[in-house]
Amino acid sequence: MAIKIIKYSLIAIFLLVLLITTYVFVAPLTVDPTQLPENYGKVNPKLYVSEEGGRSQPLFVFFGGSEGGNSMTKKHNIDQRALYTEQGYAVLGIGYFGMDGIPEGLDRISLNAIYDEIVKASKHPNVDANCIIVAGASKGAELALVLASKYPKINAAISLVGSHVVFAGTSMSTHGQTSSFMFNDEPLPFIPLSVAVLPSILRGDYRKAYEIVLEDKQAVKDSIIKVEDINGPVLLISGEKDHIWPSKEMSDEVINRLKSKKFPFPYEHIVIPNGDHFQPASDYHQEVVDFLNNNFLPECKGNVLKQHS
């Protein structure tokens, strides 16, 4: 029995070493950063707008996370979508990977393509093009903050368990060696994955893996999201005990940056006591609506939001 245990232990160690060796030395050789993913620049938009709401409906744009697909079209999100439409918002769900006809994995997603769809939706006769909000959960929150920092016609940003930096794409085919996002067909600086995260990933401890890569201070500095360039209010909601990545700590970094840059618009960070990675996106949309109604709509409807550099 002892001999069998030793035998199987040696096999397990061998397979682990083989996995690490493949990840470190072989897999990166298969990644060609000059070869863009199939269907690059294509997204899946779905606009929900009330024909009875007149011409003044603010546009609420939502991005899902690393699960892929178009979050606002899924059955379990119907009530969340209805919350916004009943409050007078037009809702634009955008799937940016993981659907037919768009990129298969989260790898170098085109911000320009996403923004083009937002502009197109804002031209609907019942949408107020002067009132555009982007929001997202997890990787979608990272996307929302990045997008709002690049396009001043976006007037507010909502981050549900988001980040303060751009991480590597989560596509399995790129092994953490390419950026999540592209802007003007150039990859945004990002924090790559490293061999040091493998033990954590194999244990299923994804939060620890992100904490490890965040120790690379230079990569963090290079990939920081310039949230101070956002042209309107910012709301962050995080879970105190997020088990996927340290959203509370990363959202704190966003707040610290806004404070240090003397951000001129309202901003807030709601921390859910003992909250996990999923609660903000499932249970806190009313808080999002309240924040927007109090801090965004009065300014937006008055057309007094001013661009700043």
Side-chain angles (χ1 to χ4, degrees):
M1 179 64 72
I3 294 176
K4 285 186 177 180
I5 293 175
I6 293 173
K7 178 182 177 181
Y8 290 133
S9 297
L10 290 174
I11 292 173
I13 293 172
F14 171 76
L15 291 175
L16 179 60
V17 171
L18 180 62
L19 176 63
I20 293 175
T21 302
T22 301
Y23 185 91
V24 176
F25 297 108
V26 179
L29 298 177
T30 67
V31 178
D32 181 1
T34 66
Q35 182 66 41
L36 292 175
E38 186 177 2
N39 293 320
Y40 170 76
K42 296 182 179 179
V43 296
N44 182 288
K46 177 65 176 177
L47 178 64
Y48 300 88
V49 59
S50 172
E51 297 303 324
E52 300 176 358
R55 298 175 180 271
S56 60
Q57 296 171 54
L59 183 62
F60 181 85
V61 186
F62 192 84
F63 309 106
S66 56
E67 74 278 3
N70 191 331
S71 180
M72 278 297 169
T73 67
K74 297 178 180 179
K75 289 183 179 180
H76 62 269
N77 286 334
I78 291 176
D79 290 343
Q80 296 171 359
R81 188 178 75 223
L83 176 63
Y84 294 100
T85 55
E86 289 170 2
Q87 287 285 320
Y89 294 87
V91 174
L92 175 63
I94 296 184
Y96 51 102
F97 77 99
M99 303 177 75
D100 290 341
I102 67 176
E104 179 180 357
L106 205 174
D107 170 29
R108 291 167 287 176
I109 302 301
S110 171
L111 297 182
N112 302 75
I114 291 172
Y115 184 68
D116 286 346
E117 291 298 334
I118 293 174
V119 171
K120 187 182 301 183
S122 73
K123 293 180 180 179
H124 187 285
N126 286 9
V127 170
D128 187 341
N130 294 313
C131 298
I132 299 175
I133 311 113
V134 290
S138 193
K139 286 293 289 188
E142 180 183 316
L143 168 56
L145 292 179
V146 170
L147 198 70
S149 73
K150 297 293 184 183
Y151 293 101
K153 288 188 178 180
I154 294 172
N155 313 117
I158 309 296
S159 168
L160 307 176
V161 292
S163 68
H164 65 303
V165 294
V166 175
F167 286 105
T170 60
S171 174
M172 293 295 291
S173 64
T174 58
H175 310 288
Q177 302 304 305
T178 59
S179 182
S180 291
F181 307 114
M182 302 275 280
F183 180 61
N184 294 336
D185 294 329
E186 293 291 335
L188 294 184
F190 68 102
I191 300 179
L193 298 184
S194 67
V195 67
V197 308
L198 274 180
S200 299
I201 291 176
L202 291 173
R203 293 195 306 269
D205 191 349
Y206 301 109
R207 179 188 173 106
K208 183 62 177 178
Y210 278 105
E211 288 174 340
I212 289 171
V213 298
L214 283 168
E215 292 174 0
D216 186 340
K217 301 305 181 185
Q218 186 59 52
V220 169
K221 181 179 179 180
D222 293 341
S223 61
I224 200 84
I225 300 172
K226 295 183 178 180
V227 289
E228 68 273 16
D229 290 339
I230 296 174
N231 188 39
V234 175
L235 172 65
L236 306 108
I237 304 179
S238 66
E240 183 184 33
K241 295 185 178 179
D242 190 324
H243 59 295
I244 300 298
W245 65 5
S247 63
K248 188 269 182 187
E249 292 78 6
M250 294 193 293
S251 296
D252 283 341
E253 289 297 325
V254 172
I255 293 296
N256 291 339
R257 186 173 181 90
L258 293 176
K259 288 180 178 178
S260 68
K261 300 294 183 178
K262 295 181 172 52
F263 190 64
F265 301 102
Y267 56 91
E268 183 180 355
H269 179 198
I270 299 174
V271 181
I272 303 171
N274 297 313
D276 62 18
H277 188 72
F278 303 115
Q279 282 177 278
S282 62
D283 301 335
Y284 278 74
H285 286 273
Q286 184 60 57
E287 284 75 8
V288 174
V289 169
D290 292 342
F291 177 85
L292 292 173
N293 288 349
N294 293 328
N295 299 287
F296 169 72
L297 286 187
E299 299 296 317
C300 174
K301 291 299 183 181
N303 292 319
V304 296
L305 283 177
K306 298 180 180 179
Q307 297 181 15
H308 67 286
S309 58

